[in-house]
Amino acid sequence: MYTEAFMEYLQKERRMSKNTLEAYKRDVQQFIAFEGSRGMTDLLETSSTEIIAFLHSLKIAGKSAATVNRKLASVRAFFNYLIQMGLITVNPTADIKSPKIERKGLAYLTLEEMDKLLATPDDSVKGMRDRAILEVLYATGIRVSELIDANLEDLNMRMGFITCAGEMSKARIVPLGRPARAALENYIYEAREQLIKENKDEKALFVNYYGKRITRQGLWKIMKEYGVKAGIAQKLTPNIMRNSFAVHMLQNGADLKSLQELMGHEDISATQAYLSVTKNRIKDVYDKAHPRA
């Protein structure tokens, strides 16, 4: 009962994306199931002890600190909602600290790797589609969900930009470089027509062999395929393309504020994470170039 009302609140008041809503719902339902397994029948009586037990169960199950943090944030938001509704007065998660996350090195491609990757697709129908996908991901740095959700009407080929819905329904306009525009033109006018077949009313920009909107799983499969073909050591993902976009922009002089707007980051601290890579590069250049380094 409370869960559905909470989801409705997140959708209407917080304007969260579909994927974010589904993640919140899964997390809260998992917590409620855990409470039920321990004989708890009234969520309004949940104590901090129950929250700690839930988090401990996640740790025992081998969940990463990042996953535990996300689930704690979901449950915390749920109880904040219950407070807002006047159903409880104290959030049982209030004094519980999030686990520390061990920061891993940022995964991205070098310029040489990126050039090799973008040259990998052939001129078949599939190849034209896949080249357009890779070029758009690298040219714009957009998220997986934004690429999948993109429609033909979101493209302005004459002006050279794509409109993204973004998170929390905040739309932004992202420029497309010349190679991305060329790849899109080839795909739209030559390959897409063959893929959609009788499904002429399909609005999706990128479609699969059945002429339907490409799925998240389908996109990951494409990325993996071309990562292997291009001989890239690390497993290629859409997020690595997004990271590469950001790192290469900063390495070539982009300012942090502009990059934040291009990537659709709510908080500039998310954009600042990419600075560590450029700082390391500057140090390497200094060590190699300065006679008294």
Side-chain angles (χ1 to χ4, degrees), residues 152-163 176 181:
L152 271 175
E153 63 185 19
D154 296 323
L155 276 182
N156 187 321
M157 298 296 286
R158 187 173 65 85
M159 299 298 291
F161 66 77
I162 185 171
T163 302
L176 291 163
R181 289 163 70 178

Side-chain angles (χ1 to χ4, degrees), residues 145-152 154 196 199 202-208 210-216:
S145 57
E146 293 170 339
L147 184 91
I148 292 170
D149 293 342
N151 293 326
L152 271 175
D154 296 323
I196 59 174
N199 192 24
E202 177 59 59
K203 295 180 179 180
L205 173 57
F206 291 110
V207 296
N208 57 27
Y210 303 102
K212 301 290 186 180
R213 187 181 300 275
I214 197 168
T215 63
R216 183 179 290 262

